[in-house]
């Protein structure tokens, strides 16, 4: 990811600012556009083949949600953008997937970028950029690829569940963002489990040498999640403080609710960061403890047998005159002495708590 | 707890915002509602069987305190909420026990959420969410389960101890929160004792290998307490700054007092955090010191006996012509040399302070 | 201290707010009240037996300083407090010795709490709470026990040294606080010396195994001093900014001077904190260096004698046919080879700088 | 660089403030001045031999960009500065290459200094100072040496690509700064790769002892990049907030875009900083793991053979009466015992997971 | 220094505030007073024998600079102070050399204290306090001892170099402070070199055991420099923001320039701080690497020769019946086996990269 970000940007180097160029890698993503047009009384759902098909919705007073998957289809995005009169820099940002979460307030619409996080099949965190345009009675969303967390939202619109059909576009934006933020809890839950797994592994001593690399990888993952989530707090805060007519006062309470959730997530992330730093300390003490144990075995073996070997060596000498050698019970006495020494040693190590 | 938080939230994933759903695990908690209605002159205490029974109190001018235990009984909570005209998001927050301490200021009431901390039977810190609604002449409290720190408050109301019966509802809220904050001192006292126990254990060398895990657990406990207490400072601060008529000027001095207590608690927590980081360092040096000791024993044993064994080995050789072998006193001279060497070694290690 | 703080507070748990209860441990402290009443022209000094005796001073226009030692005598304090019309919470705070340094501004007086620090006979830092009430023409001070740093102030009043007799009560408060702050320099001087002693000890290798605990204790001591001193900066700052008539403009320059001193002390404390963290690092490297030295001795001894012993072992074998054994000079040649090996080894270790 | 900075400044020590003295080391840089003068309809590009040749452009209403390479030619810079009426301190700052990125707002022009970063042939980061003067209809740029990142900008002006020919001088300044900031991504990409290389190397154990120095060097490189980039955020922010007429409102959106890029770069740098601190930890655990492995080999060898050698030593003793010696199968039994011991040991170490 | 600061202050303990007492140690410093009186047209330079001789300059409209060396001569300072109508606390601060850099704004003059840093003969950083009084048309400077960094300033005044003779007293103050700040670059240059020397030493392994103490000393030195320089930023900032008539608008640009320099110096100091923390890490890894190397030598020697010695021991046994002993080529075969074992071992260690 870090590397690829570099590559991504290189592509853009030297480009004229305002050029609409997709910076992601999913060049072959199929275009998918869907539109919802609803009011209290009706709800139309349509899959579109081209951006133009959505233009009719703009005229009506009802709320319109147009969702486009496939940022590589810059032409369609440009058509949609021109129809809704979006600033060229907005279009550039929509297809440049290296954005930080941010909000840009234009005269007639709000432009919000944030990151949708989920785990892929390999249990790696994937961060996908989602852009929102909130206009007077419409919301446009742009995603890089198919598959998202908005199914529940679609259901609510279709079946008039909850208050969405009675509210304005600002409420639609709210439930869309809320769906994404709810998934953040999922992410941090898994992060928390990973940290606990590491703790258990380190504590049980059941670790590969590669664990310090794994911890480093997890650290980096947390940093990335942090980077996706932390700026969003400011974004939501600015939506709540927004002074135009796009955000109604009664909806702001709901945005406040998202803000509270983000604070919760952020606090958890910071706690995880602190805990993961401790993991390395724990691991170091584990290594040291193991080395201690190895050293003790060595020291006990050496301390017991080296002196005994020395004694045996003494009586292996070939001096012509060693009085003990002739004495009949020497050998048995020596064995006695050695066994005594052995026992003394054992006691000594026992008392030192090495055994 | 960290894990369970994840699970808790998962339950809510995809829910319509504003749905009143209990997110805790105490599904079988029995409903308990009690009501106090008092003025300077009278005091009624009643246990209620259903929320409706409390409705009569709302009409009177006297101060009413309704306490409900059992957040799983969402129906009763909803009835109470509707009667007192609470916002749906407030009701949702009351039963969602993953809230951070916070205050929401509505037109006719204040909504305060905080965490009651106490040690359970296993000496683990339990964090239970308590919600407060402060209205013109009533206070509503919502707790997850039975058992709380409000007995002293009940006594004071019953027996007109202190000034509670002469004051307004804002003072009742104050003594309730004060009771909770006072218990925080209890929590940090035990935390401080645990840290001292670790210090003593590490210093005396009387440690299990699991101590680094235990320290990590304590660290996490402190982080959790911190998370429950730190945001409360802002909450109390905002009550003190509250500009409506719900908080009387003369009561604000009392809230200032709580604020001072919270600062004290917070400072202690931060000191503990710093001290617990040092514990790992202390432990590491202890391990290293022990390894040093082990190494010294090995080195002394080996350094003394390896040369002696070598000498014995020399005279164990079978060369036909080794002049020393024939000399009568060789053996005894050799013993002399060896003992001398031994003593020299001892002196050497003594001077190096290894003995 | 940390523990005792807990105990102290427990005593208060469940108390009615505003109850005046002494939370310290010096229950048997004798009551001592002294009063100074002075103006440019006169100075009366009196030791009082009861609070009532001081009441006459309140009427006069001259400056009155009443100092009370013995916070366990709550009745006297209450009498004094009622006479000077102090808020109940003020009286509660005076006798609750776990306060942080703080200032409370009331309509007719300022209430200042701070910590007097000094070393006791065991060279432990003692932190004693001193409370000040500054009124229109009086200063009240409350101390836990006898013995303080105000003797010089008493002398100046008695003998009209300096400008104290020409100034108002705000100047009296200033010189009292200044006397306390001046002693902080004493505290940090000793702390600095302790750190240097540790450094010298660690560097000279002249350390007990308990040094890591001693460092931890010092760390905690610094944290406690920090906690006593840091909030005081804000207190003095607020006195300087005070907008009432209690603090005259010309006196504020003097409070600014105290503030500068506190900043100096604070900076020193933060430097000490950073230095003490480094001490553990230094200690760790010292331990590692020592272990290195131990290892080198072992390695040198083993590397030299193990091969030599092997050679001796070879010629201790009992094979019927070992040609070298019969050769007359074998033994001497072998000695030559061994000595050569020995010298080569020595050179090798010399070049590796292990010797 | 750190050293050279010292040297650079020494040169200036004692100089009269406002003296225009080149502080870099490229004393022999050839002077190069180029000028672009363009409007929507025309574009003149000229290489100049002396500053005077550019004076004609100042009169026209068209946009003029004069770029000067070679800060050692202070005379030419002074002539240009006087012609465009620049403050002496501005000229001093242009040729003093130790500036931090900054913006100074003068009445008729903005003075912006920033750092152009690129990798030199040795893969070292080079930081070259570039100064910009933005006037009503001109931009002056000053660079230390030839070679820059502005070629794309030149092309756009020449061939009227993008909107540059339709915009004012403030847009020209924007695309120049944008070109520099785009290169920062290149820098951090390489930094990221270096960190990953270190990780891989440490993890694979394929490290030189010099790696801790290499990591330290990388750390320093990151600190330098940080120092070049972080202050620029404030500079761009102040351009965006600029209230004069030099920056048009419609251009500010573009500066906002640069600002967003800088935040992205800054965040990456801070992540790298954190990761590089972890690298040393990883390296330490790797070393410790290796030592553990070495210790295990030693312990296994010693623990197995020292007892066996002892047994052999026993039967090498020369006592006259050792009953086992005469027994015919003693030797074979002994071998059996030894092999058994050997196998037991292997099992023991296997169970301890040392093998 | 840390200790002496303590001692210094002790001297002051119990003093009446406002007493003018020299707190340094250079009690025997000779008094030296010099005066410059200049305008555009004239310049008088005079060495004075007593403060009174300078009084004449106050009357004239020309700019006067009076420099006094020798803070122990409090009488002269007091005379000067009274003549220029300085506040007693200012005089006290001038002779109390433990001040932090600060600015006090009085009605008719500014009082600035800062630290002049230079290396003494032992290459230790000396911090000398310099006080400045800036009045309407005069600057007073007070230094502890002879020798300063103002020679260039004197030259400029004498020979009318630069603009000093055309400017007011505020510009004189500027060039004096600028001279001091320019020397800070010198200080940090040397600090940078010291850090690099440590790095080189640690990396080359060419270190004494005392290096961790040396690093600690350097750390402390950096902390002291930091403490002298960091508060100065705020001082300069406040001069720049000064709203009285003492600082002319056109001079403020110059103070801004000093401010920029201070930011540069501060950033360097913070980078050094971070780098010096890393040094200890580097040192630790170096120690560990060395221990690893020692361990490897031991392990290789032991692993090779212990088994060989065992084999030799086997055939040194005195069993009556060991079949191999009689076989004629046993000895040679055994040598072959041993050499083979030896080579296998070497290969094994080679593959493990221990050789």
């Amino acid at each position: 990811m870090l590397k690829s970000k570099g590559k991504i940007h290189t592509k853009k180097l030297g480009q004229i600012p305002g050029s609409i160029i997709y910076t992601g890698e999913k060049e072959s993503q199929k275009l998918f556009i869907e539109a919802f047009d609803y009011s209290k009384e009706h709800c139309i759902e349509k899959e579109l083949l081209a951006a133009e098909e959505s233009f009719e919705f703009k005229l009506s007073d009802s709320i319109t949600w147009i969702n486009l998957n496939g940022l590589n289809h810059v032409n369609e995005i440009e058509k949609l953008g021109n129809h809704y009169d979006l600033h060229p820099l907005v279009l550039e940002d929509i297809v440049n997937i290296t954005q930080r979460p941010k909000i840009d307030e234009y005269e007639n619409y709000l432009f919000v970028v944030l990151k949708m996080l989920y785990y892929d099949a390999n249990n790696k965190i994937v961060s996908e950029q989602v852009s929102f345009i909130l206009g007077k009675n419409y919301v446009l969303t742009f995603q890089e690829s198919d598959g998202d967390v908005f199914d529940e939202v679609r259901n609510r619109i279709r079946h008039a569940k909850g208050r969405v059909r009675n509210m304005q576009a600002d409420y639609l934006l709210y439930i869309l963002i809320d769906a994404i933020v709810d998934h953040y809890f999922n992410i941090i839950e898994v992060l928390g489990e990973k940290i606990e797994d590491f703790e258990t592994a380190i504590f049980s001593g059941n670790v590969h040498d590669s664990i310090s690399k794994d911890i480093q990888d997890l650290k980096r993952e947390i940093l990335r999640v942090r980077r996706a989530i932390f700026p969003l707090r400011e974004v939501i805060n600015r939506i709540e403080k927004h002074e135009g007519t796009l955000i109604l006062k009664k909806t702001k309470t709901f945005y406040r609710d998202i803000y509270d959730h983000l604070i919760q997530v952020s606090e958890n992330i910071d706690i995880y960061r602190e805990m993961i730093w401790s993991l390395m300390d724990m691991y170091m003490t584990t290594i040291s403890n193991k080395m201690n144990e190895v050293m003790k075995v060595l020291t006990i073996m050496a301390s017991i047998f080296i002196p005994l070997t020395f004694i045996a060596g003494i009586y292996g000498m070939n001096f012509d005159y060693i009085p003990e050698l002739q004495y009949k019970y020497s050998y048995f006495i020596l064995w006695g002495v050695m066994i005594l020494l052995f026992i003394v040693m054992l006691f000594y190590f026992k008392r030192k708590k090495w055994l």
Side-chain angles (χ1 to χ4, degrees), chain A:
Chain A
M1 159 83 187
L2 288 164
K3 263 181 180 171
S4 58
K5 164 153 308 160
K7 259 181 251 146
I8 285 161
H9 209 91
T10 310
K11 208 195 234 178
K12 232 200 109 206
L13 257 188
Q15 285 298 345
I16 299 169
S19 333
I20 303 170
I21 292 162
Y22 172 55
T23 60
E25 289 168 329
K26 297 181 183 155
E27 295 286 3
S28 58
Q29 173 70 34
K30 208 162 53 67
L31 179 72
F32 172 83
I33 312 181
E34 65 183 331
F36 283 83
D37 189 84
Y38 65 88
S39 68
K40 200 162 182 175
E41 292 82 22
H42 83 291
C43 171
I44 302 168
E45 180 179 359
K46 232 170 100 175
E47 194 182 327
L48 312 179
L49 297 175
E52 289 86 350
E53 294 184 33
S54 74
F55 291 176
E56 55 176 304
F57 296 124
K58 203 190 164 187
L59 304 170
S60 73
D61 266 359
S62 52
I63 313 295
T64 310
W65 171 29
I66 299 171
N67 175 43
L68 183 150
N69 294 352
L71 298 186
N72 45 331
H73 299 272
V74 290
N75 284 340
E76 297 299 315
I77 292 168
E78 212 166 352
K79 277 191 282 178
L80 206 58
N82 291 337
H83 184 67
Y84 280 96
D85 211 22
L86 305 180
H87 192 283
L89 277 179
V90 165
L91 297 180
E92 187 188 356
D93 283 349
I94 286 173
V95 295
N96 178 357
I97 64 161
T98 63
Q99 299 299 315
R100 279 177 93 227
K102 70 167 182 177
I103 179 169
D104 283 345
E105 296 166 58
Y106 290 86
E107 209 169 340
N108 296 314
Y109 55 91
L110 293 183
F111 171 50
V112 174
V113 183
L114 47 76
K115 299 290 181 182
M116 183 162 70
L117 300 179
Y118 54 87
Y119 283 96
D120 66 5
N122 304 319
N123 216 11
K124 292 274 165 210
I125 293 176
V126 178
S127 163
E128 193 182 313
Q129 180 167 307
V130 186
S131 309
F132 299 85
I133 306 287
L134 169 68
K136 197 181 147 15
N137 55 1
Y138 62 89
V139 171
L140 313 182
T141 55
F142 300 87
Q143 304 183 53
E144 202 179 357
S145 58
D146 290 336
D148 57 32
V149 300
F150 297 151
D151 282 341
E152 179 59 31
V153 175
R154 290 185 186 95
N155 271 332
R156 280 192 229 157
I157 297 175
R158 277 179 206 128
H159 309 120
K161 275 165 64 180
R163 62 198 103 180
V164 58
R165 292 266 287 268
N166 302 322
M167 307 284 277
Q168 296 306 305
D170 55 349
Y171 187 82
L172 175 59
L173 178 66
Y174 154 66
I175 56 174
L176 290 168
I177 295 180
D178 192 50
I180 288 173
V181 170
D182 267 4
H183 262 77
Y184 291 165
F185 282 93
N186 202 259
I187 295 289
I188 59 164
E189 178 185 1
V190 177
L191 288 177
E193 278 165 18
K194 283 187 183 177
I195 289 175
E196 292 206 350
D197 289 351
F198 275 125
E199 268 182 33
T200 313
I202 289 172
F203 175 53
S204 70
N206 195 3
V207 292
H208 313 281
D209 283 6
S210 69
I211 196 169
S212 66
K213 187 163 163 49
D214 293 345
I215 291 175
Q216 178 85 333
D217 285 348
L218 183 55
K219 210 182 281 177
R220 191 180 309 185
E221 212 163 57
I222 288 175
L223 287 174
R224 278 180 54 203
V225 171
R226 201 170 182 263
R227 209 159 59 133
I229 292 177
F230 273 51
L232 191 52
R233 298 183 301 191
E234 179 53 23
V235 171
I236 301 299
N237 198 26
R238 275 184 49 203
I239 295 182
E240 207 196 326
K241 299 267 152 67
H242 183 71
E243 291 186 343
T245 56
L246 287 169
I247 306 289
L248 300 178
K249 190 157 173 259
K250 68 173 173 179
T251 323
K252 287 188 176 175
T253 316
F254 293 98
Y255 283 101
R256 182 83 212 157
D257 201 50
I258 297 186
Y259 185 80
D260 285 347
H261 289 170
L262 283 172
I263 295 287
Q264 269 184 52
V265 175
S266 306
E267 279 185 343
N268 269 309
I269 292 174
D270 279 339
I271 286 179
Y272 291 163
R273 264 180 96 193
E274 197 155 315
M275 274 161 52
I276 210 163
W277 276 102
S278 309
L279 280 182
M280 284 302 277
D281 276 6
M282 272 181 77
Y283 182 47
M284 272 306 286
T285 60
T286 309
I287 297 177
S288 293
N289 271 323
K290 271 191 192 170
M291 200 174 317
N292 243 336
E293 200 195 350
V294 173
M295 291 304 305
K296 278 181 195 166
V297 170
L298 174 61
T299 302
I300 290 167
M301 293 305 279
S303 301
I304 288 177
F305 287 103
I306 287 182
L308 298 183
T309 305
F310 162 67
I311 293 172
I314 287 291
Y315 295 105
M317 292 192 296
N318 298 319
F319 286 111
D320 286 357
Y321 186 67
I322 303 186
E324 298 93 313
L325 293 183
Q326 280 101 44
Y327 184 54
K328 198 174 174 184
Y329 301 108
S330 289
Y331 179 61
F332 304 103
I333 290 168
L334 198 77
W335 263 118
V337 169
M338 282 174 169
I339 287 164
L340 198 75
L341 252 178
F342 184 82
I343 290 167
V344 168
M345 288 285 196
L346 284 188
F347 266 96
Y348 175 75
F349 293 128
K350 200 107 199 169
R351 239 196 45 207
K352 271 192 175 294
K353 298 207 176 128
W354 293 6
L355 283 174

Coordinates of all heavy atoms in Angstrom, one line a residue, chain A residues 20-40:
Chain A
I20 N -8.8 15.1 -14.8 CA -9.6 14.1 -14.1 C -9.0 12.7 -14.5 O -9.2 12.2 -15.5 CB -11.0 14.2 -14.5 CG1 -11.5 15.6 -14.1 CG2 -11.9 13.1 -13.8 CD1 -12.9 15.9 -14.7
I21 N -8.1 12.2 -13.6 CA -7.4 11.0 -13.9 C -7.5 10.0 -12.7 O -7.2 10.4 -11.6 CB -5.9 11.3 -14.1 CG1 -5.8 12.1 -15.4 CG2 -5.1 10.1 -14.2 CD1 -4.5 12.9 -15.5
Y22 N -8.0 8.8 -13.1 CA -8.1 7.8 -12.0 C -6.8 7.3 -11.6 O -5.9 7.0 -12.4 CB -9.0 6.7 -12.6 CG -9.0 5.5 -11.7 CD1 -9.5 5.6 -10.4 CD2 -8.7 4.2 -12.2 CE1 -9.6 4.5 -9.6 CE2 -8.8 3.1 -11.4 CZ -9.2 3.2 -10.0 OH -9.3 2.2 -9.2
T23 N -6.5 7.3 -10.3 CA -5.2 7.0 -9.8 C -5.1 5.6 -9.1 O -4.1 5.2 -8.6 CB -4.7 8.0 -8.7 OG1 -5.7 8.0 -7.7 CG2 -4.6 9.4 -9.3
G24 N -6.2 4.9 -9.2 CA -6.3 3.5 -8.6 C -5.8 2.5 -9.5 O -5.2 2.8 -10.6
E25 N -5.9 1.2 -9.1 CA -5.4 0.1 -9.9 C -6.5 -0.7 -10.5 O -6.2 -1.6 -11.3 CB -4.5 -0.8 -9.0 CG -3.2 -0.1 -8.6 CD -2.4 -0.8 -7.5 OE1 -3.1 -1.4 -6.7 OE2 -1.2 -0.7 -7.6
K26 N -7.7 -0.4 -10.2 CA -8.8 -1.3 -10.7 C -9.3 -0.7 -12.0 O -10.4 -0.3 -12.2 CB -9.9 -1.3 -9.7 CG -9.5 -2.0 -8.4 CD -10.6 -2.1 -7.3 CE -10.0 -2.7 -6.1 NZ -10.8 -2.2 -4.9
E27 N -8.4 -0.8 -13.0 CA -8.7 -0.2 -14.3 C -9.8 -0.9 -15.0 O -10.5 -0.4 -15.9 CB -7.4 -0.3 -15.2 CG -6.2 0.6 -14.7 CD -6.5 2.1 -14.9 OE1 -7.6 2.4 -15.4 OE2 -5.6 2.9 -14.6
S28 N -10.0 -2.2 -14.7 CA -10.9 -3.0 -15.5 C -12.3 -3.1 -14.8 O -13.1 -3.9 -15.1 CB -10.4 -4.4 -15.7 OG -10.1 -4.9 -14.5
Q29 N -12.5 -2.3 -13.7 CA -13.8 -2.3 -13.0 C -14.9 -2.0 -14.0 O -14.8 -1.0 -14.8 CB -13.7 -1.3 -11.9 CG -15.0 -1.1 -11.1 CD -15.4 -2.3 -10.3 OE1 -14.5 -3.0 -9.8 NE2 -16.7 -2.6 -10.2
K30 N -16.0 -2.8 -14.0 CA -17.1 -2.5 -14.8 C -17.9 -1.3 -14.2 O -18.0 -1.1 -13.0 CB -18.1 -3.7 -14.8 CG -18.9 -3.9 -16.0 CD -19.4 -5.4 -16.1 CE -20.1 -5.8 -14.9 NZ -21.4 -5.1 -14.6
L31 N -18.5 -0.5 -15.1 CA -19.3 0.6 -14.6 C -20.6 0.1 -14.1 O -21.3 -0.7 -14.7 CB -19.5 1.6 -15.8 CG -20.4 2.8 -15.5 CD1 -19.6 3.8 -14.6 CD2 -20.9 3.5 -16.8
F32 N -21.0 0.7 -13.0 CA -22.3 0.4 -12.4 C -22.9 1.6 -11.8 O -22.3 2.3 -11.0 CB -22.2 -0.7 -11.3 CG -23.5 -1.0 -10.6 CD1 -24.5 -1.8 -11.1 CD2 -23.7 -0.3 -9.3 CE1 -25.6 -2.0 -10.3 CE2 -24.9 -0.5 -8.6 CZ -25.8 -1.4 -9.1
I33 N -24.1 2.0 -12.3 CA -24.8 3.2 -11.8 C -26.2 2.8 -11.4 O -26.9 2.1 -12.1 CB -24.9 4.3 -12.8 CG1 -23.5 4.5 -13.5 CG2 -25.3 5.6 -12.2 CD1 -23.5 5.7 -14.5
E34 N -26.5 3.2 -10.2 CA -27.9 2.9 -9.7 C -28.5 4.2 -9.2 O -27.8 5.1 -8.8 CB -28.0 1.9 -8.6 CG -27.3 2.3 -7.4 CD -27.2 1.2 -6.3 OE1 -28.1 0.4 -6.2 OE2 -26.3 1.2 -5.5
A35 N -29.8 4.3 -9.3 CA -30.4 5.6 -8.9 C -31.7 5.2 -8.0 O -32.4 4.3 -8.4 CB -30.8 6.4 -10.1
F36 N -31.8 6.0 -7.0 CA -33.1 5.9 -6.2 C -33.7 7.3 -6.2 O -33.0 8.3 -6.0 CB -32.7 5.6 -4.7 CG -32.4 4.1 -4.5 CD1 -31.1 3.6 -4.7 CD2 -33.4 3.3 -4.0 CE1 -30.8 2.3 -4.5 CE2 -33.1 1.9 -3.8 CZ -31.8 1.4 -4.0
D37 N -34.9 7.3 -6.5 CA -35.7 8.6 -6.4 C -36.9 8.4 -5.6 O -37.7 7.5 -5.9 CB -36.0 9.1 -7.8 CG -36.6 10.5 -7.8 OD1 -35.8 11.4 -7.8 OD2 -37.8 10.7 -7.7
Y38 N -37.0 9.1 -4.5 CA -38.1 8.8 -3.5 C -38.6 10.0 -2.8 O -37.9 11.1 -2.7 CB -37.6 7.8 -2.5 CG -36.5 8.3 -1.6 CD1 -36.8 9.0 -0.4 CD2 -35.2 8.1 -1.9 CE1 -35.8 9.4 0.5 CE2 -34.2 8.6 -1.0 CZ -34.5 9.2 0.1 OH -33.5 9.7 0.9
S39 N -39.8 9.9 -2.4 CA -40.4 10.9 -1.5 C -41.2 10.1 -0.5 O -41.2 8.9 -0.5 CB -41.3 11.9 -2.3 OG -42.4 11.2 -2.7
K40 N -41.9 10.8 0.3 CA -42.7 10.1 1.3 C -43.6 9.1 0.6 O -43.9 8.0 1.1 CB -43.6 11.2 2.1 CG -44.1 10.7 3.4 CD -44.5 11.8 4.2 CE -45.0 11.3 5.6 NZ -45.3 12.5 6.5

